[in-house]
Amino acid sequence: MRDVFPVGPGPARGAAEALDYRIRHATVDPRDRAFATELAYGAIKMRRALDWRLEPFIGERVDSLPPTIREILRLAVYELTYTQADVHATVFEWVNLARRYGHTGVANLTNAVLRRYLREPPPEPQPDDFPSEDEFLATVHSLPTWLVRQWRGSFGNLTPQICAAVNAPPAAAVTASLLRSTIEEVRETLERDGVRAHPSAYVAESSVVDGGGARLSGGGEAAAWWLQSESSAMAVDILNPQPGEEVLDACSGRGNKTLQIAGRLQNDGNIVCLERDTRKIATLGRRLDLAGVVAAIVEADAREHTFDPNVRFDRILVDAPCSGTGLAARHPESRWKKSADDGERLAETQRAILERVSTSLREGGVLVYAACSTDPRETTEVVNWFLSRHNFERGLVPAAYESFLTPDGDVMVAPGIEGRDGFFISRLQRR
């Protein structure tokens, strides 16, 4: 918690990175690791709801509490509220921790707050306690109010379900390398390791793991398969690259979608990867080598790179940098690290990337624009802006995606529903 929300200057770690770092420096068995993960992720996700529960017992003292003690109280109340806790042991341990990281005075305060919380538990929040339904949902499900409003604008009556769903564990999925194995072989391999998975209803090479992917930790580096959410894999499925084609992956990152494209091409065709982050390029190159995929990697910013005018791609994938609000379930800290202004700022980058790379698409070629965001400024508005300035039109997406289609014909996956990441995918065709 202190790594994710540092008090002083210095970079904060993501929740997963912080947890891995701390566990590597301790002796923790798998059962304790699972419990520590639940506590840490839960207390980060439920930060706003926990503060609401604690407010009657802390009141005006909240600003004078040392940050570490506030985090201890959040963790303790999370354990008491959302797990099957041994109440007396829980209070004992957290009070001792407050003494270790503070002093006797704050330990006594922690003890008093937790024991009063148990004696007089606050009533569950009710809609009438809040000025609007969005404020109520944001408090109950521990989300920024601006994000709830944004989801209401995009998903209407589905908003309460989304708010609840993003606090449940997201679904894990694996993508099979069609160059190295078959879907069935990957599922058999997983099953031998005690992991059951079922075929995705949308993406042929994707399998959704039954009951979460905790046992898959670290397995994504294998060349035969890798961890990739079903929503993310949908972008390449909708791009639908064919053997013999020239394909540009304009924001390759660490290469999940590049590997997926390579599997579709079956070593017949060419892939060019654009990526500006040198650390991601290193990972991308390593993974391509491991998978036996030959692709050209260009270290460049997709907003600025210019290809030779004679270079023309059959298909271009723009998996655009975005606010990532669709990943609220997968990254517990993300809801607190984003702001309502991110969408507008990032839309400028997204428009610039589309402007630049679209010039290298051949006539009749397909460009897929994808973002792990459902913010209209980064999704529908970017695509409408692009179409108003260029000789492109929306292309048809496979019929399997009908339930995700917006009135404009784009794919919009609601965050959290059935464990999926929120995603936007638009298939555009050059006239």
Side-chain angles (χ1 to χ4, degrees):
M1 299 280 280
R2 291 182 299 158
D3 291 353
V4 177
F5 304 105
V7 176
R13 290 190 177 100
E17 183 186 4
L19 192 65
D20 286 344
Y21 174 82
R22 294 292 170 185
I23 286 178
R24 277 203 311 273
H25 289 76
T27 303
V28 180
D29 67 33
R31 185 176 173 184
D32 288 340
R33 179 184 178 118
F35 185 59
T37 302
E38 180 183 354
L39 276 186
Y41 281 24
I44 291 170
K45 277 186 180 178
M46 302 307 290
R47 201 170 182 82
R48 179 171 180 174
L50 293 170
D51 286 348
W52 185 87
R53 290 178 178 277
L54 278 164
E55 197 279 333
F57 310 105
I58 299 178
E60 296 177 353
R61 290 176 292 183
V62 65
D63 293 331
S64 62
L65 279 177
T68 300
I69 302 304
R70 291 181 66 180
E71 300 296 359
I72 285 173
L73 284 168
R74 287 178 177 126
L75 285 158
V77 169
Y78 179 85
E79 185 174 355
L80 292 170
T81 307
Y82 297 103
T83 74
Q84 302 294 320
D86 178 329
V87 170
H88 297 293
T90 297
V91 172
F92 178 81
E93 294 295 340
W94 289 113
V95 169
N96 275 342
L97 208 60
R99 184 175 291 107
R100 177 179 169 186
Y101 286 100
H103 48 72
T104 301
V106 292
N108 290 340
L109 172 66
T110 301
N111 184 53
V113 168
L114 296 181
R115 293 194 181 283
R116 191 177 162 212
Y117 179 82
L118 289 169
R119 283 197 312 272
E120 307 165 20
E124 292 299 313
Q126 299 299 319
D128 290 344
D129 298 334
F130 299 89
S132 68
E133 186 186 7
D134 289 349
E135 287 283 354
F136 167 66
L137 291 173
T139 303
V140 170
H141 299 296
S142 196
L143 293 156
T145 305
W146 64 264
L147 185 55
V148 177
R149 290 187 183 129
Q150 191 181 98
W151 285 339
R152 187 175 296 283
S154 297
F155 300 102
N157 293 335
L158 192 60
T159 304
Q161 288 176 249
I162 292 172
C163 292
V166 295
N167 288 331
V174 300
T175 303
S177 167
L178 300 180
L179 293 175
R180 291 293 180 94
S181 59
T182 66
I183 314 299
E184 292 73 21
E185 288 170 346
V186 169
R187 280 200 284 274
E188 288 170 5
T189 300
L190 295 176
E191 196 159 334
R192 282 198 296 274
D193 292 337
V195 177
R196 295 186 64 84
H198 63 273
S200 163
Y202 306 97
V203 185
E205 61 266 54
S206 181
S207 297
V208 181
V209 176
D210 299 336
R215 296 184 190 178
L216 289 171
S217 180
E221 287 299 315
W225 59 269
W226 56 91
L227 283 166
Q228 183 181 9
S229 79
E230 184 186 37
S231 299
S232 170
M234 288 176 178
V236 172
D237 187 56
I238 291 172
L239 181 70
N240 194 24
Q242 299 294 311
E245 291 186 332
E246 305 282 330
V247 182
L248 171 64
D249 187 356
C251 306
S252 294
R254 294 179 176 83
N256 276 347
K257 296 182 180 66
T258 307
L259 291 171
Q260 197 182 351
I261 291 168
R264 297 279 181 122
L265 294 185
Q266 288 290 295
N267 278 331
D268 181 10
N270 291 303
I271 306 174
V272 176
C273 303
L274 269 184
E275 178 53 53
R276 66 173 183 168
D277 186 319
T278 54
R279 290 173 300 178
K280 291 180 180 176
I281 288 173
T283 303
L284 170 65
R286 190 169 59 247
R287 295 184 72 195
L288 293 178
D289 287 343
L290 184 65
V293 172
V294 177
I297 300 176
V298 180
E299 182 180 344
D301 190 324
R303 295 173 294 182
E304 301 167 354
H305 184 72
T306 302
F307 286 99
D308 184 296
N310 294 320
V311 173
R312 283 288 181 271
F313 295 98
D314 298 294
R315 299 180 198 254
I316 295 177
L317 174 64
V318 177
D319 183 20
C322 68
S323 63
T325 54
L327 307 182
R330 196 166 298 279
H331 301 300
E333 74 281 14
S334 68
R335 66 188 71 183
W336 310 122
K337 302 289 186 182
K338 310 295 181 186
S339 79
D341 298 328
D342 288 347
E344 185 58 41
R345 176 175 56 81
L346 287 159
E348 292 183 23
T349 299
Q350 294 149 4
R351 289 192 290 264
I353 292 173
L354 281 178
E355 281 270 74
R356 180 65 70 170
V357 303
S358 63
T359 60
S360 298
L361 187 69
R362 69 164 174 79
E363 288 184 11
V366 172
L367 188 159
V368 163
Y369 172 79
C372 53
S373 167
T374 55
D375 184 337
R377 295 169 296 181
E378 300 178 85
T379 56
T380 307
E381 291 179 17
V382 167
V383 171
N384 287 341
W385 173 88
F386 177 76
L387 290 175
S388 72
R389 297 166 59 93
H390 297 275
N391 193 24
F392 279 66
E393 61 185 355
R394 281 186 170 88
L396 293 176
V397 302
Y401 293 92
E402 183 178 0
S403 63
F404 298 118
L405 287 183
T406 68
D408 290 326
D410 301 318
V411 169
M412 181 79 87
V413 183
I417 301 299
E418 299 184 4
R420 295 193 182 93
D421 293 337
F423 238 85
F424 173 87
I425 305 166
S426 182
R427 179 185 166 102
L428 308 172
Q429 192 147 6
R430 186 168 190 175
R431 292 192 174 103

